[in-house]
Amino acid sequence: MDVPSTVATALEDRPVERATCLEAGAGVGNATAGLLAAGAERVYAVTNDAEHARTVRERVACDEPNRSVALEADLRELPLADDAVDVVTAHGLFNVVPPASLDAVATEVTRVAAPGCHLVVDDYEPLPADAGVRSLFALENAASQLADGRPALTFYPAATLRRLFEGYGWTFERERTLLNPVPWTPSHVDAHAEEVRSRAEKLPERQRERFVREAERLVDEIGEERIGQMYSVAMRLPD
Amino acid sequence: MQTRPLGETGHDSTVATFGAIALNWLEQEGANQMVELVLDHGINHFDVAPEYGDAELKLGPKLRQHREEIFLGCKTQKRDYEGAARKLDRSLNRLGTDHIELYQIHGLEYEHELDEITGEDGALEAIRDARSEGKVDHLGLTSHGDPQLILEAIERIDDLDSLMFPMNPVVAGKDGDEYDYEAVLERAEAEGIGTLGIKAFAGGTWPPTDELPEEDRPYANWYRPVDDPETIRERFDFAAAQGLTSVLTPGDPKLVAMVLDAARRYDGMDEAAQRSLIERARHDDSPVPEQLHH
C-alpha cells in the first residue's frame, strides 16, 4: 500500500530503522506501513477494533509476516512487556480517545516504552468554528454519548497532548504541521456519517431516524471540505 | 512571471511553459490571439510538436513576429537518424524558423526505443548533427512512461539538457517505482538537467466511451482535466513547488488563461498545503471506505 504523505513526513526524522515499534491505535495500518517502509525491525499494530485488526492484516501485515503483527487489544492494557518498544506512533489515535481514557493510555504507552524511546503523536487541532464538518462530528458525538456514554471524537490541541506526555516523563523534541488545510473528502464525510448510523442503531427508533436523517442532510450539505490542521508532535523518553 | 534556470542551458524559463498543442483547436485568428495572451503574461518558453495537428502551422505567424521573445521547444517521435532529421526539417519548415532552441525525443516509452535513439543511427545523433549545424541549440527528452526508464535515459545520454515528465498530487501520493517521478526530478536536478512538468492539471480518466463518446467530451485533453480556477491554481502551485523548472499549460485552450493567471500569481506553496493536496487525491480513490483519518 502507499504510505500516506502525513505518515512519511512524521517519521522521516525519527530513527525507525531496525527499531521495534508500536502503532498505537492501528486504524487501517497507515503508520504500520510507514514504519515497515522506513526499515522497522518489528511492528506491533494494536487496535481495539476487530475489523481494523483484520484490515491491517490484509493490507499490511500479510506482506511482512515476519516483521509485523496486528493485535486486537485495549490500549489501556497493552499485551506487551515493559520497555519493549523503541518507537511508538499514535497517528490519528487521540481524537478517538475520550478524555477519561487519556491517562490510562499514556500510562500504558510509557510502560512499554524502552528508555530513549521515541513517540510520534499525529492528530488534528480543534476545528475552527465555521467548519461544516464540525456539525457532523457533533452529531457523531451526540449519538455516541447517547448510545455508549462517551464522545466519539475529541480534537486535542498539540500543546495538550504534549503536556500530557511531559507529565509522564517524555521530553518534547519537535512539532510540525502535516496538513494545512485538512482535506475532508467525500469518503471521509461518508465514513463519519456511517459512524453516526452505526451508533444510532443502538437508540430507540424515533431517535435513530432523526440521527440518520440529519447525517444524510449533512453529507449532502458538506460534500467535501478543506479546513483545519493536522500536526505531528515528536517526544522522547530520557535514556 | 517568475523564471528559473533550465538546467545548464543558460536559458531562464518562465515558471509556466505554453503547451502550443492548444493552438490546434483554434482557427488562425484565435491562435494568434492566444499567443499574444500568452506573451502578455510574460511566458518565454513555448513547446510544440508535429503530432499536435496544425499547431506548428498556427504558431508560425506569431512565432516569426516574436521570434526573439520565444524559447521554442519542439519534438520528434522518430527514433532513427533519418526519420528524426526529416521531422526536424519539416518542423522548421512548418514553423517558418531556421532554428529551434530545444529539440526533444517525444514520448519515450520502451527500453528498445532508448536502445534505438542512443544507437549509431539513432535520433540523438541526428539532433547532435543538427546542433552542430545551428538548427538546434539543446537536446531534451519527454516521457510519461516508466520513471525507471527515464532514469536510465539520464544515465545513457550525457548531453541531455532537459526532461519533460508528469508531476501532480495523484502521482506524488503513490509509492511504487512506476510512479516515482520525484526520483527523476531529484536526479535531473543533481545532473543539471532542466525539468518540465506535464499532466499537472490531470483530474482523472474520462468515463468509458459507451458512457461518454469521445465527441461529447467537454475538453480536448485525453485525460479529464481539473477546470475551476481555484483547483487549477492549487495544481499549478503544487507542480511549481516541487522544484520543476517550468510547468506546461494544458492542451485545451479553454483552460490556458486560468493557468496563466495562476502562474503569474505563483508565490510558492508550503509543504503542509502540498500534503493536503496529495492526501485529498489519495482518499478520492481510497480502497478502504471506513478510512476516517489522514
Side-chain angles (χ1 to χ4, degrees):
Chain A
M1 64 171 279
D2 298 325
V3 177
S5 62
T6 47
V7 171
T9 304
L11 296 179
E12 70 187 6
D13 64 348
R14 303 291 96 190
V16 174
E17 198 156 355
R18 291 190 295 279
T20 299
C21 305
L22 162 66
E23 180 180 12
V28 294
N30 283 335
T32 294
L35 290 163
L36 290 170
E41 184 170 289
R42 188 161 183 79
V43 181
Y44 299 103
V46 178
T47 168
N48 64 353
D49 183 308
E51 199 177 324
H52 281 166
R54 196 166 48 246
T55 305
V56 175
R57 281 184 204 110
E58 285 167 6
R59 289 182 83 205
V60 188
C62 65
D63 293 336
E64 294 282 358
N66 298 321
R67 292 170 63 210
S68 61
V69 57
L71 301 172
E72 188 187 336
D74 192 320
L75 290 175
R76 295 168 297 187
E77 292 174 77
L78 285 168
L80 297 171
D82 293 359
D83 303 344
V85 298
D86 310 310
V87 174
V88 180
T89 63
H91 182 81
L93 163 67
F94 280 103
N95 64 82
V96 294
V97 175
S101 300
L102 278 182
D103 274 311
V105 172
T107 301
E108 269 301 82
V109 164
T110 308
R111 179 184 67 77
V112 302
C117 180
H118 291 264
L119 169 67
V120 179
V121 177
D122 304 335
D123 230 292
Y124 307 97
E125 286 289 347
L127 285 159
D130 60 345
V133 284
R134 269 177 78 124
S135 303
L136 181 60
F137 298 158
L139 191 70
E140 194 175 332
N141 277 342
S144 182
Q145 288 282 13
L146 290 169
D148 305 321
R150 59 183 173 83
L153 297 165
T154 312
F155 294 100
Y156 301 99
T160 301
L161 295 179
R162 171 184 166 174
R163 288 188 187 116
L164 170 74
F165 279 96
E166 280 173 342
Y168 285 84
W170 296 79
T171 54
F172 172 80
E173 292 208 324
R174 63 109 177 104
E175 180 183 338
R176 53 171 63 173
T177 303
L178 296 179
L179 295 173
N180 182 17
V182 177
W184 303 101
T185 67
S187 70
H188 287 104
V189 172
D190 280 342
H192 283 282
E194 187 51 42
E195 291 292 317
V196 174
R197 282 184 211 105
S198 79
R199 284 173 167 87
E201 282 295 317
K202 301 175 189 169
L203 302 177
E205 192 177 339
R206 276 186 61 191
Q207 222 174 13
R208 178 170 68 234
E209 282 171 6
R210 287 178 64 193
F211 271 103
V212 170
R213 269 202 311 277
E214 182 62 5
E216 283 167 2
R217 189 189 71 76
L218 285 169
V219 167
D220 289 342
E221 185 179 289
I222 297 165
E224 66 175 315
E225 188 174 27
R226 285 182 289 162
I227 196 160
Q229 291 188 30
M230 187 181 198
Y231 58 80
S232 174
V233 171
M235 305 187 76
R236 193 171 186 203
L237 266 190
D239 287 319
Chain B
M1 187 177 296
Q2 197 182 109
T3 60
R4 295 171 176 180
L6 182 67
E8 293 170 356
T9 62
H11 181 259
D12 289 340
S13 294
T14 40
V15 72
T17 290
F18 175 51
I21 187 174
L23 302 178
N24 180 49
W25 317 106
L26 301 171
E27 299 300 325
Q28 188 61 55
E29 195 179 344
N32 291 347
Q33 289 170 5
M34 173 68 82
V35 173
E36 290 291 350
L37 181 75
V38 168
L39 291 171
D40 278 352
H41 279 75
I43 303 276
N44 69 6
H45 188 147
F46 283 41
D47 187 80
V48 72
E51 288 74 26
Y52 301 160
D54 289 339
E56 287 178 327
L57 292 169
K58 286 174 178 161
L59 174 59
K62 286 292 172 185
L63 175 71
R64 295 190 287 278
Q65 183 184 338
H66 297 283
R67 191 65 190 90
E68 295 309 307
E69 298 162 54
I70 295 172
F71 179 95
L72 180 64
C74 190
K75 320 189 191 80
T76 179
Q77 274 190 339
K78 295 294 177 188
R79 305 304 185 224
D80 64 308
Y81 186 103
E82 282 305 319
R86 267 202 312 275
K87 272 285 183 202
L88 170 59
D89 286 337
R90 181 171 176 269
S91 287
L92 289 169
N93 188 33
R94 279 160 64 95
L95 289 158
T97 184
D98 59 1
H99 74 287
I100 287 168
E101 280 77 9
L102 176 65
Y103 201 60
Q104 302 150 109
I105 299 289
H106 191 175
L108 188 77
E109 261 190 272
Y110 303 106
E111 179 88 30
H112 70 82
E113 292 178 291
L114 183 56
D115 291 339
E116 188 174 356
I117 61 166
T118 52
E120 221 170 88
D121 293 316
L124 288 177
E125 271 316 299
I127 301 175
R128 289 180 186 122
D129 285 349
R131 194 169 55 192
S132 31
E133 291 164 28
K135 292 180 184 173
V136 165
D137 294 336
H138 305 286
L139 183 159
L141 184 141
T142 82
S143 176
H144 41 77
D146 184 355
Q148 304 309 311
L149 182 65
I150 306 177
L151 288 169
E152 195 185 333
I154 296 174
E155 280 289 313
R156 291 174 60 179
I157 307 170
D158 291 337
D159 51 354
L160 200 56
D161 292 305
S162 76
L163 279 168
M164 188 184 288
F165 52 89
M167 185 57 71
N168 62 47
V170 181
V171 295
K174 295 189 187 296
D175 282 346
D177 283 350
E178 68 271 34
Y179 301 107
D180 197 4
Y181 294 105
E182 288 103 323
V184 173
L185 180 60
E186 207 172 294
R187 187 68 200 286
E189 274 175 3
E191 299 282 338
I193 296 169
T195 49
L196 304 165
I198 48 174
K199 308 292 175 288
F201 308 96
T205 51
W206 291 110
T209 47
D210 52 347
E211 280 175 35
L212 180 70
E214 234 172 276
E215 62 270 22
D216 292 347
R217 291 174 184 170
Y219 292 105
N221 310 63
W222 57 265
Y223 51 85
R224 184 175 54 75
V226 296
D227 61 357
D228 66 276
E230 190 193 347
T231 312
I232 280 183
R233 188 164 181 209
E234 285 172 346
R235 288 300 197 89
F236 184 88
D237 289 356
F238 180 89
Q242 302 314 299
L244 294 162
T245 307
S246 187
V247 180
L248 272 284
T249 59
D252 190 298
K254 297 188 288 297
L255 300 170
V256 172
M258 283 190 274
V259 176
L260 296 177
D261 182 57
R264 188 159 61 180
R265 296 197 285 159
Y266 176 73
D267 63 351
M269 182 181 231
D270 67 49
E271 290 185 0
Q274 292 174 38
R275 285 191 288 272
S276 179
L277 285 190
I278 291 173
E279 290 307 303
R280 183 188 184 200
R282 198 170 69 86
H283 284 288
D284 278 351
D285 60 353
S286 170
V288 187
E290 69 270 32
Q291 178 82 55
L292 287 168
H293 301 123
H294 297 86

